[in-house]
Amino acid sequence: MHNQPDYCVVGMDASFYRCKQILIIDDCAPVRTSIKAMAQQIGFESIHLARDANEAIAKCHEIPFDFILSDFNLGEGKDGYQLFETLKTRQLLAPLNCFIMVSAENQRQIVHGMIELQPDDYLLKPFTYQQLEERISRAVKGRIALRKIYVSLFAQDYQNAIAECDNAVVQKPEFTAAALRIKGELLLKLRSYAEAEAFYQQVLQQYKTTAWARLGYAVACFYQQRWDDTELQLADLTQFDETKVEALDWLSRLYVKYRCLINTLLPSTAVWMRPKPILNWVIYTPARFISISCNIYWNATIS
């Protein structure tokens, strides 16, 4: 386990970055060289390069990086997100490490899902060094502000993490949304579903249009087997671009839970739209006509 770097004093100038370790991962050598030059302009001196996920993992075993910039498409082997998951699983990322995903295509932010299991930010190619510096600065400021939460999450001390979320809401009001989101997802992780439901209801009373809270409330209902409430909430959330993908995914889980896909609808009324691994179908019943796009693999419940 890596020692936690000292981030008590924050100065977002070249001197702050000078002593920080940064890893740049891209399968294209000219791109690696270009991003390295940008990092040097920002103030980094300890700059490391990797051409693929395997080389990056090996370097992370040797060095506790403060910042990692990884392209999403890394050629053969793991992609950038799979690399991120591997580094998290092996605890090769320190609590305050900032991981930024770089891609030539827009990467959609996940609305529901533990924040510490997601990259800190996404950066669209092509970009300037000013844009890179802005994303890095934003990411590290968030990590520093909520560092006690992230340290507790790293140690898997979830109860203390919840307490630190409450503290952050009071002490760091500009990061209230992030702290509240982490708290709600921790309540779900701890299977405190009734408490999570009440928490999300309270958040929605204050922030009525908060997408992650609406989805979290639906998930809390799902785990309490309140199928009608779950379906009502999720069906509404499919109408919005921000929540459509996750809402459809949870709707698919709901219908699998009903077992209607297995026992009734799937053999006779499913119209397959695309080949594996991702299946898209339209399901018709007398009560509803629902288009579901879901991530169900061939080795999942349906066989």
Side-chain angles (χ1 to χ4, degrees), residues 132-284:
L132 176 60
E133 182 177 25
E134 187 274 332
R135 295 300 175 88
I136 289 177
S137 176
R138 182 169 67 184
V140 74
K141 284 178 180 177
R143 285 277 165 176
I144 292 169
L146 303 179
R147 62 186 179 275
K148 292 182 180 180
I149 298 175
Y150 287 115
V151 169
S152 295
L153 290 173
F154 187 83
Q156 299 183 7
D157 186 352
Y158 300 128
Q159 292 293 349
N160 190 64
I162 289 174
E164 292 297 346
C165 287
D166 292 333
N167 291 336
V169 169
V170 175
Q171 300 170 8
K172 308 284 184 178
E174 65 272 34
F175 296 96
T176 291
L180 290 175
R181 178 175 168 179
I182 295 173
K183 179 179 178 178
E185 292 174 356
L186 282 171
L187 291 173
L188 291 174
K189 185 180 183 70
L190 293 172
R191 300 184 180 182
S192 301
Y193 302 130
E195 186 177 353
E197 178 187 358
F199 168 77
Y200 284 121
Q201 285 179 320
Q202 182 180 13
V203 171
L204 288 170
Q205 287 176 357
Q206 295 179 273
Y207 314 97
K208 296 184 183 300
T209 60
T210 305
W212 58 263
R214 294 188 65 198
L215 193 54
Y217 174 77
V219 173
C221 292
F222 173 87
Y223 282 119
Q224 294 178 89
Q225 300 184 14
R226 299 229 308 278
W227 310 131
D228 290 342
D229 289 340
T230 304
E231 183 179 24
L232 181 65
Q233 293 291 330
L234 293 175
D236 185 53
L237 289 168
T238 61
Q239 301 178 54
F240 306 99
D241 290 339
E242 185 179 9
T243 52
K244 183 175 184 178
V245 173
E246 277 107 320
L248 288 170
D249 178 63
W250 280 96
L251 270 175
S252 73
R253 300 188 197 195
L254 174 64
Y255 293 130
V256 169
K257 197 75 174 180
Y258 274 146
R259 300 187 67 84
C260 66
L261 291 180
I262 301 173
N263 297 331
T264 306
L265 297 176
L266 188 58
S268 58
T269 63
V271 181
W272 303 112
M273 308 288 288
R274 289 176 59 187
K276 63 179 182 180
I278 298 176
L279 310 178
N280 292 265
W281 57 72
V282 174
I283 296 174
Y284 173 80

